[in-house]
Amino acid sequence: MADGILPGLVKGMATTARSLTRHAHTAEYPDVSPALPSRSRGVIALTEENCTSCMLCARECPDWCIYIDSHKEEVPPTTPGGRARQRNVLDRFAIDFSLCMYCGICIEVCPFDALHWSPEFEYAELDIRDLLHEKDRLGAWMATVPPPVALDPGSAEPAEVAAAAKPARGAGAAAGAAAARPARVRPARGATPTATPAAAAPAAASPAAPPAADTPDVTETKTLPVTPAPSDQTQVLPTTPPATSSEQEGRE
């Protein structure tokens, strides 16, 4: 028995000696905050100015944990004689994190980038009812949202950047047509029209071409035979009436 205990004790002491020389990987939380990746799903932050109350996030949420209330306000016209329009004003935007499963569908479907992921996760409460965050608290989480990660060098240009850099429709074609079309000057009434210098310069610069000496003068005319037109009268051939049964018997 002593022979089995001694080797095991030696192996245990060797393992302890190796562990003493290694660095510990224990996370000293909450004294030391963990280094989280930029795309961590901690809490959802809201940019209230971007929200248009389109209700896409609330309809697509599989847990129905998003509550939105809004009303319409009339906006006066920006130009005289214009027509007034209406806009949605956000009254309430709340997310119940006791029901949220952090799928991120609401952030993906938002067409105006009103919702963002924040890596903050320290919002535990003693009462489950306090996990219902209203728009004021959701807006406070925007300060913890990290900047977007840079794109890969070989990635395509975002659609928003490409649309902003694209010239206005018809602006490039109109500018090219205006540059290619020369300015047209209308002469005064009663004035004799004169050739423009641009048109007269090539005629004055080019010397007169000498007459060709080997070209014979064409003075003879040749009369071609006239082919008579086809007549409109058509020849009608006599038709033979069909033979009767008696004539066919006589022929036989």
Side-chain angles (χ1 to χ4, degrees), residues 3-251:
D3 296 339
I5 295 176
L6 186 59
L9 183 61
V10 172
K11 290 181 180 179
M13 296 300 294
T15 303
T16 304
R18 286 196 302 268
S19 300
L20 291 175
T21 58
R22 295 178 182 177
H23 178 69
H25 296 280
T26 305
E28 300 294 337
Y29 179 81
D31 297 334
V32 179
S33 299
L36 299 175
S38 58
R39 295 182 179 179
S40 299
R41 299 187 177 188
V43 69
I44 299 175
L46 170 69
T47 304
E48 184 178 352
E49 295 78 9
N50 294 352
C51 182
T52 60
S53 305
C54 63
M55 304 295 291
L56 278 177
C57 55
R59 288 198 299 264
E60 297 297 331
C61 179
D63 292 334
W64 293 85
C65 63
I66 300 178
Y67 311 98
I68 300 176
D69 293 332
S70 64
H71 69 278
K72 292 185 178 294
E73 287 185 357
E74 186 173 342
V75 180
T78 56
T79 57
R83 187 171 61 180
R85 59 186 181 89
Q86 292 183 345
R87 68 169 183 176
N88 292 328
V89 179
L90 186 64
D91 294 331
R92 184 194 183 196
F93 194 106
I95 299 179
D96 191 354
F97 287 102
S98 63
L99 301 176
C100 179
M101 64 179 186
Y102 303 92
C103 62
I105 294 179
C106 57
I107 299 177
E108 296 295 333
V109 301
C110 181
F112 302 105
D113 292 337
L115 299 175
H116 305 271
W117 277 119
S118 170
E120 295 295 328
F121 60 92
E122 298 174 336
Y123 52 93
E125 301 289 347
L126 298 177
D127 192 349
I128 193 174
R129 291 173 293 183
D130 295 336
L131 288 175
L132 181 63
H133 293 190
E134 298 291 339
K135 64 178 182 178
D136 297 335
R137 189 171 182 185
L138 294 175
W141 291 116
M142 281 299 302
T144 61
V145 175
V149 183
L151 299 177
D152 296 334
S155 60
E157 189 177 23
E160 296 82 358
V161 178
K166 187 177 181 180
R169 182 179 298 178
R181 183 180 300 174
R184 188 173 183 180
V185 180
R186 179 176 295 180
R189 183 175 297 178
T192 304
T194 57
T196 58
S206 59
D214 298 339
T215 305
D217 297 334
V218 180
T219 56
E220 297 179 354
T221 58
K222 185 180 293 185
T223 304
L224 300 177
V226 179
T227 304
S231 176
D232 296 339
Q233 299 179 359
T234 57
Q235 186 177 2
V236 179
L237 299 178
T239 58
T240 304
T244 60
S245 59
S246 59
E247 292 178 355
Q248 292 181 358
E249 293 175 359
R251 290 176 184 177

